[in-house]
Amino acid sequence: MADAEQSLVNGVTNLSVNGNEKSKESGDEFAKGWGFQLPELYKLAVRFYKEKNGKALKLKYQDKLRLVAYTKQATYGKYRNDVSPEVGFLDVVGNDRRQAWQALGDMSQTTAMAEFVKQLDSLCPLFRPFTEAHNAEKQEQERKRHEEEDRLRREAEEKERRRLEEEAQQQLELQKQKQLEQEMQIRAALNQQTAVQFAQYAQQQCPNNKQQQEELIRQLQEQHYQQYMQQVYQQQLMHQQQQYQQMQQQAGNTAPAPPSQPAPPSQQMESPPTQQPASQPTEVASTPPQANSVTPNGTEGTTEKRQEGEGQVAPPALLMPASVWTRKDIQSFKDSVKHCQENVIKIGSLATATVRVPTHEDGTCLFWEFATDYYDIGFGVYFEWTIAPSTTVSVTVSESSDEEEFDEEQDPKNDVEQGTKKEDRPPTDEIIPVYRRDCHEEVYCGSHAYPGQGVYLLKFDNSYSLWRSKTLYYRVYYSR
C-alpha cells in the first residue's frame, strides 16, 4: 500500500510540474475536437463520472484519486486547509486524496479541467459517445432556435409588408375618391355651360328621337370635358416651364433641379370653372368639335391616330399621380432582398438602369421599394403604352440616361417641332420625373394605379456620377 501511495504522489507531482505544457489546449481547440467549450465539457465529464462510476465505469484506485484531485483543483485551485476536511490518522483514503490534491501544486483551474477530461477520455471509451450525443442534442436545439427566430422574423416582415400595403391602398382609395369628386364637379360645371348648345345641336341632328339625342349629348359632353382638361394641363405645364427658365436665368450657371411634372388638373383645381352668364348666348356649330389628344413629344393628333401603331394602346387623357413615401428600416429591407440576385443591380458610373414591369392581368396597382449602399441615385417612373408579350420583369443597363434623347436629336425624322416622331416607339407618359433620392438613408416606396395595359419603366439614373458605381436593392409587386 505504501508503494502504491508513493507512486501515486510521484505521478501527480509530475503532472503538476508539466501540466501547463501538456494541457494548453484553448477553448477553441476543445470546441473543434469536442463540440463544447472547456467549462461546459468539464461539467459533462463530471456528470458522466458521477453517473457511471461503479457501473459502466470501472477504475483503479490510483485513477480515482487522480480524478478526484483534478476536481478539487478545478473547483478551489491550490490546496487549502479550510476547504479540506479533517481526516484521522487511520483514514487512508482521506489522506491519499489530500496528498494527491497537494501534489498538484500551482496547477491552474483551467489546466485541471483539461486534464480531468483527457484522463476520463483515456480511461473510459464510453465518454466520447456520451459527449457526441449531447453535442448532437445541443445542435438540434440550436437549429430549432434559429428556425423559430427566422419564422418570427418572416412573420414580422410579412405583417409589416401587409400594413404598408394596406396604408398605400387606403391612400390610393382616398386619392381616387377625391379625384372622382373633383371630376364630377368639373363635369357638372361644364355640362351646365353647354347644356343649351348641345341640346340644340342634338335636336338638329336627331329630330323626334329623344333617345338618340340623349346619347349624342353624352358624347359631346365627354369630348368637351377631355378637351378642357387637356388645355388646362398644357397651360400648367407651360407655366412651370416658364418659371423654370426664369429661375435658370436668375441663378446663372448654378441651375436648380427641373420642376416636377404637374399633377392632373382634376386634382389641382380647387373649384370648377365658372358658368358663363345666360345673357351671352353663343351660336351652335353645325358639327361638334373633334377631341384632340397630346402625344408624349408634344404634338397633337386625334385619338384614332394614336391607336394606329401595332401593339400599342391608346393612353387616356389623364394619369393619376403616384403615391410615394419612405421608411427607416433600410438594413432589414436590404437583408430581405439581397438573397435574390435578380433584385440587386450594380449600376456603374455614367450609367442608367431601367426596370421594365409589365402590367398584370390580375393586378390593379403597382408597388415599388428600393434602397442603395452609401450614396444616392436618381429615380423616376414612366408608363409605356404598349402590349407586352409576357409579364416578365426585365432589367437593362445603358451607358447614359440621355441615350434615347441623343438618338432623337441626331435623327432629322424625329423633329418634335415639325410634329413627327419615330413610328416604332410607343407613346410614353411621365408619372414621376427623375430626381436624385437619398435612398442610402431610408427605403423609398411608392405605388401607382394601373392606367391601362402597358409597361412601367422604373429608371435608376447614375449618369451624374463620374467615378462611383451604385449597388441597388429593389422590389416590385402588384395588388389585386
Side-chain angles (χ1 to χ4, degrees):
M1 176 65 71
D3 294 339
E5 293 177 1
Q6 186 63 34
S7 63
L8 172 64
V9 172
N10 293 336
V12 175
T13 303
N14 292 333
L15 284 174
S16 65
V17 174
N18 302 321
N20 292 333
E21 296 179 359
K22 293 182 179 180
S23 303
K24 285 188 177 180
E25 292 186 75
S26 64
D28 293 338
E29 293 175 347
F30 273 93
K32 292 178 181 179
W34 294 84
F36 296 96
Q37 295 294 335
L38 179 59
E40 188 176 1
L41 180 61
Y42 172 73
K43 291 179 181 179
L44 277 177
V46 173
R47 175 183 167 187
F48 176 81
Y49 175 76
K50 290 181 179 180
E51 291 179 355
K52 306 299 181 181
N53 187 21
K55 301 175 184 178
L57 183 62
K58 302 293 185 179
L59 300 178
K60 297 180 181 180
Y61 179 71
Q62 295 179 357
D63 295 331
K64 288 183 179 180
L65 288 179
R66 186 174 301 174
L67 292 176
V68 171
Y70 285 143
T71 59
K72 293 291 185 180
Q73 191 79 4
T75 304
Y76 301 105
K78 186 178 179 180
Y79 172 79
R80 292 161 48 190
N81 289 324
D82 57 336
V83 297
S84 178
E86 294 291 337
V87 294
F89 179 76
L90 298 178
D91 187 357
V92 178
V93 175
N95 282 302
D96 289 346
R97 290 182 175 179
R98 175 183 293 183
Q99 291 177 12
W101 186 9
Q102 289 176 342
L104 296 179
D106 295 331
M107 178 184 290
S108 67
Q109 292 176 290
T110 301
T111 304
M113 291 182 187
E115 289 297 330
F116 182 87
V117 171
K118 292 169 62 178
Q119 188 73 17
L120 186 62
D121 182 40
S122 63
L123 294 174
C124 183
L126 297 178
F127 175 60
R128 187 171 288 272
F130 176 81
T131 58
E132 291 176 351
H134 280 77
N135 188 28
E137 182 181 358
K138 173 186 174 184
Q139 292 179 354
E140 180 66 17
Q141 293 176 352
E142 190 72 13
R143 183 186 64 81
K144 291 181 178 179
R145 184 179 65 83
H146 284 302
E147 289 180 353
E148 182 66 15
E149 291 178 353
D150 292 340
R151 185 185 65 81
L152 295 176
R153 178 181 57 80
R154 288 194 298 268
E155 289 180 355
E157 291 178 353
E158 180 65 18
K159 184 178 180 180
E160 180 67 13
R161 187 190 68 79
R162 290 179 180 177
R163 185 186 67 81
L164 294 174
E165 185 174 346
E166 289 176 358
E167 290 181 358
Q169 192 67 26
Q170 291 175 359
Q171 294 179 2
L172 187 62
E173 293 297 333
L174 290 176
Q175 289 181 356
K176 286 182 178 179
Q177 183 65 24
K178 183 178 179 181
Q179 182 182 9
L180 182 60
E181 292 176 356
Q182 293 177 345
E183 180 180 337
M184 292 176 62
Q185 292 178 1
I186 296 174
R187 286 182 180 273
L190 293 174
N191 294 343
Q192 192 172 4
Q193 290 180 6
T194 58
V196 177
Q197 302 176 28
F198 289 166
Q200 293 176 359
Y201 176 78
Q203 181 66 29
Q204 293 176 3
Q205 298 297 319
C206 307
N208 302 325
N209 192 330
K210 188 68 174 177
Q211 184 177 0
Q212 292 184 1
Q213 292 178 13
E214 292 177 354
E215 180 64 25
L216 181 58
I217 290 175
R218 282 195 295 269
Q219 293 178 2
L220 294 175
Q221 288 175 343
E222 180 65 24
Q223 291 180 0
H224 186 212
Y225 170 76
Q226 297 294 344
Q227 289 180 347
Y228 173 79
M229 299 306 294
Q230 290 173 11
Q231 292 174 3
V232 173
Y233 181 70
Q234 291 297 324
Q235 289 175 0
Q236 291 178 349
L237 185 60
M238 292 176 60
H239 178 66
Q240 287 201 357
Q241 290 176 348
Q242 292 175 357
Q243 288 183 339
Y244 174 57
Q245 292 175 357
Q246 293 176 359
M247 293 171 61
Q248 281 186 320
Q249 294 175 357
Q250 294 175 359
N253 294 332
T254 57
S260 60
Q261 182 183 13
S266 60
Q267 298 210 2
Q268 293 184 348
M269 187 170 297
E270 299 179 356
S271 60
T274 57
Q275 181 181 1
Q276 294 181 354
S279 59
Q280 298 179 358
T282 58
E283 183 179 354
V284 179
S286 59
T287 58
Q290 296 292 330
N292 293 336
S293 58
V294 181
T295 58
N297 58 9
T299 61
E300 293 187 355
T302 63
T303 304
E304 296 177 353
K305 291 182 179 180
R306 294 191 65 176
Q307 296 177 348
E308 291 177 356
E310 183 178 357
Q312 299 181 8
V313 181
L318 297 175
L319 284 176
M320 289 188 63
S323 299
V324 293
W325 64 93
T326 60
R327 52 192 178 95
K328 297 296 183 181
D329 55 337
I330 184 169
Q331 189 57 47
S332 62
F333 169 74
K334 292 179 182 179
D335 294 339
S336 64
V337 170
K338 65 174 58 175
H339 69 275
C340 184
Q341 295 296 330
E342 292 80 3
N343 292 349
V344 181
I345 306 174
K346 186 69 173 294
I347 305 176
S349 59
L350 301 175
T352 299
T354 302
V355 181
R356 296 178 60 88
V357 186
T359 55
H360 199 279
E361 60 182 0
D362 296 332
T364 60
C365 182
L366 176 71
F367 291 82
W368 61 82
E369 301 170 318
F370 67 92
T372 55
D373 288 335
Y374 310 117
Y375 305 105
D376 61 355
I377 199 169
F379 173 74
V381 181
Y382 299 81
F383 191 86
E384 184 177 278
W385 297 93
T386 185
I387 300 177
S390 66
T391 59
T392 304
V393 178
S394 61
V395 179
T396 58
V397 179
S398 60
E399 293 298 326
S400 174
S401 63
D402 299 327
E403 192 171 359
E404 296 180 357
E405 289 78 3
F406 177 82
D407 293 340
E408 290 182 358
E409 292 175 2
Q410 296 296 328
D411 191 353
K413 297 181 181 179
N414 299 330
D415 192 353
V416 175
E417 296 180 356
Q418 296 179 2
T420 61
K421 62 184 183 69
K422 289 184 68 174
E423 296 179 356
D424 58 345
R425 177 169 298 176
T428 303
D429 286 332
E430 181 181 68
I431 300 175
I432 299 178
V434 177
Y435 285 149
R436 294 173 66 172
R437 322 283 176 170
D438 293 330
C439 49
H440 61 295
E441 299 177 352
E442 52 190 0
V443 183
Y444 273 69
C445 313
S447 64
H448 188 258
Y450 284 2
Q453 188 176 10
V455 179
Y456 282 93
L457 306 180
L458 277 62
K459 290 188 177 292
F460 299 93
D461 185 11
N462 194 35
S463 60
Y464 57 87
S465 180
L466 297 177
W467 311 109
R468 294 191 179 98
S469 60
K470 309 292 173 62
T471 301
L472 172 70
Y473 306 83
Y474 80 99
R475 179 166 55 198
V476 292
Y477 51 94
Y478 68 89
S479 65
R480 298 181 185 274

